[in-house]
Amino acid sequence: MKLWVLAATLIVCGTVAAVIACNKVNAQNDNPVQKVESSELIRTSQSWDGVELPDYLQGRPELVAVKYVFPAGQKLGWHHHPVMNYGVLVQGELTIIGQDGKEKVVHEGEAVVEMVNTIHHGENRGSKPVILYMFYLSQKDLPLAVQHPEIPLE
């Protein structure tokens, strides 16, 4: 056998042995490979107050994602959404109040589907900021919310 073939064979065998040894060490490691987990947070065709969502708008959609931060004690004014939207509260507790007085408290880690074309407002009654990620199914030039400053907050 030629010397270079023998040298190449030893290098290949050494590399394979090293890979096998590393794999054994990794398999014994305390940090096993973790799998991606998924948990469906919500699946519904109704807003939080039990009202059926409207049909999709006609035309090209515009998807919008917004992060809201509500300081402790902050109240968001009366408004309504002309488009469907839903979100996930990642910190704190948010109380949503409909104009009819119906309330919904959204807790950390929960999803919420907002009212569409129904006047409501939100309040952070807690002691830490609320962080809320909302996702809107809109269209170009449509507002995400229409404010109603004529309605006083209590």
Side-chain angles (χ1 to χ4, degrees):
M1 186 180 286
K2 295 188 177 190
L3 190 55
W4 67 270
V5 172
L6 180 60
T9 303
L10 290 174
I11 290 171
V12 168
C13 289
T15 303
V16 170
V19 168
I20 291 170
C22 286
N23 284 340
K24 285 182 181 178
V25 168
N26 286 339
Q28 295 169 354
N29 195 340
D30 289 337
N31 298 321
V33 176
Q34 295 184 357
K35 295 182 180 179
V36 173
E37 293 182 24
S38 66
S39 299
E40 188 171 286
L41 298 178
I42 195 166
R43 181 185 296 248
T44 185
S45 59
Q46 298 177 344
S47 56
W48 66 263
D49 61 340
V51 175
E52 289 292 320
L53 294 171
D55 291 337
Y56 280 116
L57 301 170
Q58 297 295 317
R60 183 171 307 279
E62 181 176 69
L63 306 178
V64 183
V66 179
K67 176 184 177 182
Y68 293 97
V69 178
F70 292 76
Q74 181 67 40
K75 293 182 179 182
L76 188 62
W78 291 101
H79 63 281
H80 77 271
H81 302 284
V83 298
M84 287 183 278
N85 64 97
Y86 62 99
V88 177
L89 192 115
V90 296
Q91 179 179 291
E93 285 187 355
L94 178 66
T95 302
I96 306 169
I97 302 103
Q99 199 172 18
D100 62 0
K102 190 181 237 184
E103 292 189 8
K104 166 76 174 169
V105 178
V106 185
H107 302 92
E108 201 165 290
E110 290 182 344
V112 62
V113 177
E114 275 277 40
M115 304 164 131
V116 180
N117 292 319
T118 301
I119 297 173
H120 62 282
H121 80 275
E123 298 180 3
N124 178 355
R125 296 176 179 168
S127 59
K128 65 180 177 178
V130 162
I131 299 175
L132 175 67
Y133 290 96
M134 293 299 295
F135 306 95
Y136 297 84
L137 296 93
S138 188
Q139 285 183 321
K140 187 176 184 199
D141 299 325
L142 277 180
L144 302 178
V146 176
Q147 301 301 316
H148 293 278
E150 71 279 8
I151 305 171
L153 286 174
E154 296 175 6

